[in-house]
C-alpha cells in the first residue's frame, strides 16, 4: 500500500478547484476569503488564466500600513505561478517541493487549465508514512529552536522578521513565562479583519501547544491534523521548549530515509516473489513480460519452455527451440573445460552465473550474461534448470570504449596523463633491474595558440592530429608518446645506454614536427620546444622527472624556441625550493590542505556589512599557513590554477549557501579569478554547474578580476565572457584598481559594477610629514577615482584600511565601501561572527 501511495498522481489529491480571485480584488478581501475557507493560498486569475498567487507567506510583506490592505491583490501577488501536471507522481512532487523549498504548486491538466493547488501538507498526509512514523520520535527530527520574541514587540516588526528569515511561524514569550505562537495563517486572518496593528502578544495564539520529544512522529502528525495546525512546540527532557516542529520537518527530514527503507523492502518482496513457486500465474506473467531471455530445460538440457524475449535475442521461435538441446546456441568459443566447470557448479551448488559467448540463429555471435538455477520439487529433488540471460554485447563495447577514453586522448588517440604516468612507473621499475637509463621528454608547441585564435579550433585540432602521428612514427614501438592536453606532449624513451642517443631523438623530433603541414587549403608551420630529464641522473620519482622535463622545456623556450634542453642538475636553492613547493601543491588539494578565509567589506557611511571576500590559504602540514603570494604564482605558471580556482569557487559558494540557510545575510560572496582560469574552455559551464549544485543564487556571487586582465584582454574572449556572466546576474569587480591601465573610458564597455582600489593609495594617507607630498598626491588620486566611479554608477571599495585616519578620509570623500584590518581581519568561516563583532565594536 505504501508503494501504491508513492505512485499516486497528485491530481488525485485535489478536493476541488483552487481558491481564486481577480487581480483587482483588494488584499483584505483576498485574505478574508482565505481565512474563511482556511486556505493557505489564493490564485489570481485574469480571463480564466492564472497570473499569480498570494500565499500566507506573502502576507508577511503587508507591514503596518493599513492602506496596503486596500490595494489590488495584483500588487502583492507572487508570479509566475509554479505548476505541475496532474499526472505527476507524488514522490516526484515531494522531491521538487524539497529541492525548491516551496509549499504550494498549481496542478494543471494537459491543456494547462487549473485544476487545484497541491500543498506541502497534502504531500505529508498522503505518502503512506504511518508504519514508518510510528517508529520515529519527535526528538529524532532536527526541529531547531524557533525565533522567540517578546510579547511587547509590534506586530509589523514580527512580520518583518518572519519574512526576512523565511519563517512560517515564530514563538512569543509573555512576562509570565508562558509562550504563544504567530503563524502565517494568523497574519492572513488578521489582514482579513484589518487588525495588523498592536503588539504581537495581543495577536498571538496562546498558549503554544506542545508535545514531548519522546512522542512518535505519527502521534505528532495526527495531533496536527486533529487541531488543524501546522506547528507544534517540542518539549525537551528538562521540560523546557526545545524546538518547533512543523510539517516541513516531516517532509524534509525523513523522506529520504523512508524511501530508502521502502525500496529495500520492495526489493526483498520482489526476491521473495521470484523464489516462490506458489504463485505460478504471477511467475508466468513475469517470464512472459521480462526483457531478459528465459529458457527452461530438463536435466539433460532439452528445452521445454522459452519466453518471447528468448526469440528476440536468439532469433529462434518457440516452435524451433522446443524439444531441441540448449547447445544449439553454442558459439564454439568456449572449450570443453568451460562447460565442465559450468555443469559441476550446477550439480554442486545448484546454480551458475557468468558471461558466455553464444550464437544466434543467423550465425551472429553475441555476449550474454547468463544465470542458471536448479528447480527442485518439494522433496528437494532437482527436476529442471532455468536459464535467464541478457545480451550485454553493447554494454561490453561501451565499457571497453569508456576504459579506452579513461586512458587515452579522445582527439589524437595517444595515451593520456594517467596512462603515461602508469607506463613511466613501470619503465622505472624495469630500469632499476636492468641498470639502463630512461628519458622523459616534455614537448610544447611554440605559439600554437595563434593558430587556434586566427584559424579556429578545427584547424588546430587537425594540426594536433598530424603532429601526434608524426611523433608516433618518430620513435620506436616500445616507446610511449602521450598528450597531456592542449598542445603539450610527453615521450617516454626506454633502454638508453648512451645519452647522446636521446639528443639525436630530440633533434629528429624538431625536424619532423617542424615540417610543413597542409591542413585544408592552409600551409602551416609549427615548431616545438622540448625539455628532457633523465633517470636516474635527475630524479627517481615519475612526478619529479616529468616536472623537471617541464622546467627544461621552459628553458628551451626562453632560449629562443624550436630547440631542446636537458634538465640542468645544479640549480639555485630558490629554484629547487620552487620545484618542491610546486610538487607539494599538487597534493595539497587532494589532502584537504587548501582552505578559505573570509574578510568582510563594510559600508563606509553606516558600517553595515555588504560583502564578504573569499581568500585562499594553504595550511601546510610543516610550513604552517603559506601566504598566497608564495603559491598562487606557482599555480598560475602550471596547470594547477584551473582546478585550484574551481575548488575555491565551489567551496566559497557552498559556504555562502550554508550562511544563507543559517539566516546570515552577508550580501555577496566575492571570489578572485585568474586569467588562465577565465580562458579555460569549460569555465562558464563550470560556474553554472557550481551555482546549480550548491544552490547559491547567481545574484549572491561576485567575481574579481585583476585590472590588467580586464583591460588588456577585454576586446577578446574575456569581454564576451564578462557580458555573459553579467547577464546571468553575477556581479563583476576589478581588483587592485589603479595599479595598471586605469582607463575609465574603456571601463565603460565592460559590465563591471565594482572597483577595488589598491591598498597602496591609502598607505600614505596617515604618513609622517616627510611624506606629505606623496600623501597629497594619493589623496587626490583617490578623490578622482571615487568621483569618476560615482558618475559611471560604479561602486568603489577601498582595500587596506588599517587606521582610523584612513577610514575618516574615506568618509570625507564619499567612498562607498571599505575593507581592511581596522574593520575585520580574514578569518575561517567558523570565526566569521567573531570577526563581525570586532568590526561592530570598533
Amino acid at each position: 500500500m505504501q508503494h501504491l501511495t508513492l505512485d499516486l498522481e497528485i491530481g488525485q489529491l485535489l478536493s476541488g478547484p483552487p481558491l481564486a480571485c481577480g487581480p483587482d480584488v483588494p488584499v483584505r478581501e483576498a485574505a478574508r476569503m482565505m481565512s474563511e475557507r482556511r486556505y493557505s493560498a489564493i490564485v489570481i486569475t485574469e480571463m480564466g488564466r492564472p497570473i499569480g498567487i498570494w500565499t500566507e507567506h506573502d502576507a508577511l510583506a503587508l507591514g503596518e500600513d493599513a492602506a496596503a490592505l486596500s490595494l489590488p491583490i495584483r500588487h502583492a501577488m507572487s508570479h509566475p505561478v509554479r505548476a505541475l501536471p496532474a499526472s505527476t507522481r507524488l514522490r516526484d512532487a515531494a522531491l521538487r517541493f524539497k529541492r525548491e523549498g516551496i509549499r504550494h504548486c498549481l496542478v494543471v491538466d494537459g491543456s494547462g487549465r487549473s485544476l487545484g493547488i497541491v500543498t506541502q501538507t497534502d504531500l505529508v498526509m498522503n505518502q503512506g508514512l504511518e508504519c514508518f512514523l510510528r517508529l520515529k520520535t519527535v526528538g529524532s527530527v532536527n526541529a531547531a529552536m524557533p525565533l522567540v520574541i517578546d510579547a511587547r514587540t509590534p506586530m509589523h516588526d514580527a512580520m518583518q522578521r518572519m519574512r526576512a528569515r523565511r519563517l512560517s511561524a515564530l514563538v512569543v514569550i509573555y512576562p509570565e513565562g508562558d509562550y504563544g505562537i504567530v503563524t502565517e495563517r494568523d497574519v492572513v486572518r488578521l489582514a482579513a479583519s484589518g487588525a495588523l496593528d498592536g503588539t504581537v502578544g495581543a495577536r498571538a495564539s496562546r498558549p503554544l501547544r506542545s508535545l514531548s520529544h519522546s512522542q512518535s512522529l505519527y502521534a505528532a502528525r495526527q495531533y496536527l491534523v486533529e487541531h488543524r495546525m501546522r506547528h507544534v512546540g517540542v518539549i525537551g527532557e528538562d521540560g523546557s521548549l526545545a524546538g518547533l516542529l512543523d510539517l516541513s520537518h516531516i517532509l524534509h527530514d525523513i523522506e529520504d530515509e523512508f524511501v530508502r527503507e521502502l525500496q529495500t523492502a520492495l526489493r526483498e518482496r520482489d526476491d521473495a516473489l521470484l523464489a516462490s513457486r506458489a504463485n505460478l500465474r504471477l511467475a508466468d506473467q513475469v517470464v512472459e513480460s521480462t526483457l531478459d531471455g528465459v529458457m527452461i530445460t530438463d536435466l539433460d538440457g532439452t528445452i521445454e519452455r522459452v519466453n518471447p524475449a528468448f526469440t528476440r535475442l536468439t532469433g529462434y521461435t518457440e516452435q524451433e527451440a522446443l524439444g531441441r538441446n540448449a547447445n544449439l546456441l553454442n558459439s564454439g568459443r568456449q572449450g570443453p573445460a568451460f562447460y565442465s566447470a559450468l555443469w559441476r557448479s550446477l550439480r554442486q551448488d545448484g546454480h551458475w552465473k557468468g558471461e558466455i559467448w553464444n550464437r544466434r540463429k543467423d550465425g551472429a555471435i553475441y555476449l550474454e550474461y547468463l544465470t542458471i538455477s536448479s528447480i527442485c520439487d518439494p522433496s528437494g529433488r532437482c527436476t529442471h534448470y532455468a536459464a535467464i540471460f541478457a545480451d550485454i554485447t553493447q554494454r561490453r563495447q561501451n565499457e571497453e570504449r569508456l576504459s579506452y577514453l579513461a586512458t587515452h586522448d579522445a582527439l589524437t588517440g595517444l595515451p593520456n596523463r594517467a596512462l603515461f604516468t602508469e607506463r613511466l612507473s613501470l619503465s622505472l621499475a624495469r630500469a632499476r633491474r636492468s641498470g639502463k637509463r630512461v628519458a622523459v621528454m616534455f614537448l610544447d608547441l611554440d605559439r600554437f595558440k595563434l593558430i587556434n585564435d586566427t584559424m579556429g579550433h578545427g584547424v588546430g585540432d587537425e594540426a594536433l592530429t598530424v603532429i601526434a602521428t608524426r611523433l608516433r612514427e618518430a620513435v620506436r614501438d616500445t616507446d610511449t608518446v602521450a598528450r597531456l592536453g592542449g598542445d603539450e606532449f610527453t615521450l617516454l624513451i626506454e633502454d638508453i645506454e648512451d645519452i647522446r642517443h636521446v639528443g639525436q631523438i630530440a633533434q629528429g623530433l624538431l625536424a619532423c614536427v617542424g615540417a610543413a603541414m597542409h591542413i585544408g587549403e592552409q600551409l602551416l608551420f609549427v615548431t616545438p620546444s622540448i625539455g628532457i630529464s633523465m633517470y636516474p641522473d635527475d630524479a627517481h620519482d615519475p612526478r619529479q622527472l616529468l616536472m623537471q622535463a617541464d622546467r627544461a622545456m621552459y628553458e628551451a623556450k626562453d632560449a629562443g624556441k624550436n630547440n631542446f634542453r636537458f634538465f640542468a642538475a645544479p640549480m639555485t636553492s630558490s629554484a629547487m625550493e620552487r620545484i618542491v613547493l610546486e610538487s607539494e601543491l599538487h597534493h595539497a588539494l587532494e589532502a584537504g590542505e587548501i582552505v578559505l578565509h573570509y574578510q568582510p567589506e563594510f559600508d563606509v557611511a553606516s558600517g553595515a556589512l555588504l560583502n564578504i571576500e573569499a581568500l585562499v590559504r594553504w595550511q601546510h602540514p610543516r610550513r604552517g599557513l603559506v601566504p598566497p603570494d608564495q603559491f598562487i604564482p606557482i599555480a598560475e605558471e602550471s596547470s594547477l590554477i584551473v582546478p585550484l580556482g574551481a575548488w575555491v569557487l565551489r567551496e566559497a559558494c557552498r559556504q555562502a549557501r550554508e550562511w544563507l540557510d543559517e539566516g546570515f545575510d552577508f550580501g555577496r560572496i566575492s571570489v578572485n579569478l585568474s586569467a588562465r582560469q577565465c580562458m579555460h574552455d569549460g569555465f562558464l559551464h563550470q560556474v553554472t554547474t557550481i551555482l546549480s549544485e550548491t544552490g547559491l543564487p547567481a545574484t549572491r556571487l561576485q567575481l574579481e578580476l585583476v585590472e590588467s586582465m580586464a583591460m588588456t584582454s577585454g576586446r577578446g574572449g574575456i569581454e564576451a565572457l564578462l557580458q555573459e556572466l553579467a547577464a546571468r546576474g553575477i556581479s563583476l569587480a576589478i581588483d587592485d584598481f589603479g595599479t595598471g591601465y586605469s582607463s575609465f573610458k574603456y571601463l565603460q564597455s565592460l559590465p563591471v559594477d565594482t572597483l577595488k582600489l589598491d591598498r597602496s593609495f591609502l598607505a600614505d594617507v596617515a604618513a609622517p610629514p616627510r611624506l606629505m607630498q606623496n600623501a597629497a598626491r594619493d589623496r587626490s588620486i583617490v578623490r578622482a577615482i571615487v568621483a569618476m566611479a560615482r558618475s559611471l554608477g560604479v561602486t568603489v571599495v577601498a582595500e587596506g584600511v588599517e587606521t582610523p585616519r584612513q577610514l575618516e578620509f574615506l568618509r570625507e570623500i564619499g567612498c562607498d565601501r571599505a575593507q581592511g584590518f581596522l574593520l575585520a581581519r580574514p578569518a575561517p568561516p567558523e570565526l566569521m561572527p567573531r570577526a563581525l563583532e570586532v568590526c561592530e565594536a570598533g
Side-chain angles (χ1 to χ4, degrees), residues 794-806:
V794 176
T795 299
V796 176
V797 181
E799 297 181 298
V801 180
E802 298 181 355
T803 68
R805 184 170 178 179
Q806 291 172 335

Side-chain angles (χ1 to χ4, degrees), residues 579-655:
I579 289 178
V580 172
L581 202 63
E582 180 174 340
S583 176
E584 292 176 341
L585 187 57
H586 274 84
H587 299 282
L589 264 178
E590 298 175 4
E593 297 171 8
I594 303 299
V595 297
L596 292 186
H597 286 190
Y598 299 87
Q599 186 175 27
E601 295 173 8
F602 298 92
D603 184 272
V604 172
S606 67
L609 183 146
L610 298 177
N611 218 43
I612 292 182
E613 182 179 5
L615 303 169
V616 66
R617 299 289 187 265
W618 182 4
Q619 187 62 57
H620 195 284
R622 297 187 308 278
R623 303 170 188 262
L625 203 62
V626 181
D629 58 358
Q630 290 187 19
F631 68 90
I632 291 298
I634 296 176
E636 285 276 9
E637 292 177 8
S638 67
S639 59
L640 286 173
I641 194 64
V642 174
L644 177 61
W647 181 90
V648 170
L649 181 60
R650 181 179 297 277
E651 175 60 17
C653 290
R654 183 204 64 77
Q655 181 62 60

Side-chain angles (χ1 to χ4, degrees), residues 368-568:
E368 70 180 29
Y369 188 82
L370 172 65
T371 299
I372 306 176
S373 301
S374 301
I375 301 177
C376 301
D377 60 18
S379 65
R381 183 176 62 89
C382 181
T383 60
H384 293 82
Y385 294 117
I388 303 175
F389 60 93
D391 184 351
I392 60 170
T393 310
Q394 185 63 47
R395 187 177 77 183
R396 173 57 61 82
Q397 292 173 350
N398 291 341
E399 290 173 350
E400 292 174 350
R401 176 62 178 165
L402 288 174
S403 177
Y404 177 83
L405 291 176
T407 56
H408 289 77
D409 173 51
L411 176 64
T412 63
L414 293 177
N416 61 12
R417 181 185 295 271
L419 183 55
F420 181 83
T421 303
E422 179 182 335
R423 290 187 180 178
L424 178 55
S425 298
L426 295 174
S427 173
L428 297 185
R430 288 192 293 269
R432 292 187 189 99
R433 294 191 297 269
S434 66
K436 294 185 178 180
R437 287 172 166 164
V438 173
V440 174
M441 296 186 178
F442 198 108
L443 185 149
D444 183 90
L445 302 178
D446 302 326
R447 292 181 290 273
F448 186 77
K449 185 176 182 297
L450 185 62
I451 294 178
N452 280 332
D453 291 346
T454 57
M455 300 182 182
H457 288 278
V459 173
D461 287 349
E462 288 190 53
L464 290 173
T465 303
V466 171
I467 291 169
T469 302
R470 291 179 176 180
L471 291 175
R472 268 197 304 261
E473 293 173 350
V475 298
R476 300 166 299 183
D477 292 339
T478 55
D479 298 326
T480 298
V481 180
R483 182 187 177 211
L484 302 190
D487 58 345
E488 296 177 341
F489 297 84
T490 52
L491 294 91
L492 171 61
I493 313 297
E494 300 189 64
D495 298 328
I496 296 171
E497 296 181 353
D498 189 340
I499 195 170
R500 289 175 295 180
H501 178 58
V502 179
Q504 294 168 359
I505 295 175
Q507 195 64 52
L509 293 176
L510 293 176
C512 74
V513 173
M517 288 183 287
H518 291 274
I519 306 296
E521 298 180 358
Q522 302 289 339
L523 183 64
L524 301 181
F525 293 88
V526 179
T527 60
S529 293
I530 304 173
I532 308 170
S533 64
M534 300 294 301
Y535 169 86
D537 308 67
D538 300 324
H540 295 75
D541 174 70
R543 183 183 295 274
Q544 197 73 10
L545 279 170
L546 192 58
M547 189 181 304
Q548 290 171 342
D550 187 17
R551 294 282 180 183
M553 181 273 294
Y554 277 108
E555 291 184 11
K557 281 188 177 294
D558 292 341
K561 303 181 177 62
N562 194 26
N563 57 29
F564 66 90
R565 287 289 185 273
F566 283 90
F567 176 75

